Amino acid sequence: SQTIHQWPATLVQPVGSPLSLECTVEGTSNPNLYWYRQAAGRGLQLLFYSVGIGQISSEVPQNLSASRPQDRQFILSSKKLLLSDSGFYLCACSRGRTDTQYFGPGTRLTVL
Amino acid sequence: SQQGEEDPQALSIQEGENATMNCSYKTSINNLQWYRQNSGRGLVHLILIRSNEREKHSGRLRVTLDTSKKSSSLLITASRAADTASYFCATVLGSGNTGKLIFGQGTTLQVKP
């Protein structure tokens, strides 16, 4: 079965600083990959998804970007963080577009 | 507006009681999934029910799906303190989608020992 790793687990960054969150997947090949953000006490909002290397689709216009340099690596980035970027970021993978999505442990980002 | 909405927003019960959470959605779906999230942790997948299914069981969990009413319910029987968590339903749309999950706001369940 697949295992999803995310790091760092927590991150505190000043406004205007860059961001790089990494997600790697083990135990499956050519997965669909997703980045979600969860605001405090709320459900998850899809930010980006990828069906293959170099293929990124954005769901919500924002200050963030995503890249998929390798089959099982998904990176979330920002050049300049905003206060509103604070939240809990979750990476997920699935085998097919309608299959179960499995989530990583998440990264809690606080922008001060 | 939100595709999935859970009801109630919060539920507090005694250990041993059953907990029922409901989810409503607006558009046709391919499947509906239920997840559990412990405080500050990632999501754990519980059950996936497809649009042509009406009921699924997994241990103490029972999920029903009524596509005519666009609703689903999650029943946890004989609850335990360890079931304390937030529960989310998420839908995968029926067509033209990327497999993205559209989440509700969740139900916070507290099981008192």
Side-chain angles (χ1 to χ4, degrees):
Chain A
S1 63
Q2 64 285 312
T3 303
I4 304 171
H5 302 280
Q6 286 187 246
W7 64 89
T10 59
L11 189 60
V12 179
Q13 292 284 96
V15 170
S17 64
L19 173 74
S20 181
L21 303 182
E22 188 162 346
C23 168
T24 58
V25 179
E26 294 178 356
T28 186
S29 59
N30 196 30
N32 287 359
L33 296 175
Y34 307 85
W35 277 113
Y36 290 88
R37 178 170 59 203
Q38 184 179 31
R42 305 294 296 277
L44 278 68
Q45 180 185 41
L46 179 67
L47 302 176
F48 300 95
Y49 67 91
S50 171
V51 298
I53 295 173
Q55 300 179 61
I56 308 294
S57 295
S58 174
E59 285 294 307
V60 181
Q62 58 208 317
N63 185 44
L64 303 169
S65 62
S67 62
R68 184 171 178 176
Q70 300 181 45
D71 181 47
R72 288 172 285 181
Q73 184 184 29
F74 205 21
I75 297 172
L76 184 69
S77 304
S78 175
K79 292 182 179 179
K80 290 185 178 181
L81 284 168
L82 306 173
L83 287 174
S84 57
D85 292 324
S86 292
F88 192 46
Y89 289 83
L90 289 153
C91 177
C93 77
S94 67
R95 294 179 65 182
R97 65 180 185 87
T98 59
D99 292 327
T100 297
Q101 290 190 20
Y102 296 94
F103 285 79
T107 294
R108 186 161 305 281
L109 172 66
T110 303
V111 182
L112 301 175
Chain B
S1 60
Q2 200 70 25
Q3 163 73 335
E5 296 185 5
E6 283 96 337
D7 169 58
Q9 290 187 338
L11 182 61
S12 181
I13 59 175
Q14 294 294 134
E15 204 165 27
E17 294 180 340
N18 296 342
T20 299
M21 289 160 268
N22 303 296
C23 169
S24 61
Y25 57 93
K26 292 180 171 60
T27 61
S28 65
I29 61 171
N30 178 284
N31 66 66
L32 186 146
Q33 303 179 33
W34 283 93
Y35 289 83
R36 183 185 75 231
Q37 183 180 34
N38 291 88
S39 180
R41 308 292 294 273
L43 274 71
V44 175
H45 181 260
L46 298 176
I47 289 183
L48 181 155
I49 186 165
R50 301 196 183 279
S51 60
N52 61 353
E53 297 175 310
R54 292 297 167 259
E55 187 172 312
K56 287 189 83 170
H57 297 254
S58 176
R60 294 183 295 113
L61 306 180
R62 172 177 169 253
V63 168
T64 62
L65 178 65
D66 187 335
T67 54
S68 67
K69 295 181 179 178
K70 291 186 169 58
S71 67
S72 174
S73 67
L74 170 66
L75 169 67
I76 303 175
T77 60
S79 63
R80 305 167 182 168
D83 294 328
T84 294
S86 292
Y87 291 82
F88 294 91
C89 71
T91 54
V92 175
L93 298 183
S95 62
N97 77 90
T98 59
K100 70 175 183 178
L101 289 172
I102 303 177
F103 282 83
Q105 299 301 300
T107 293
T108 300
L109 173 66
Q110 181 185 30
V111 181
K112 300 176 184 178

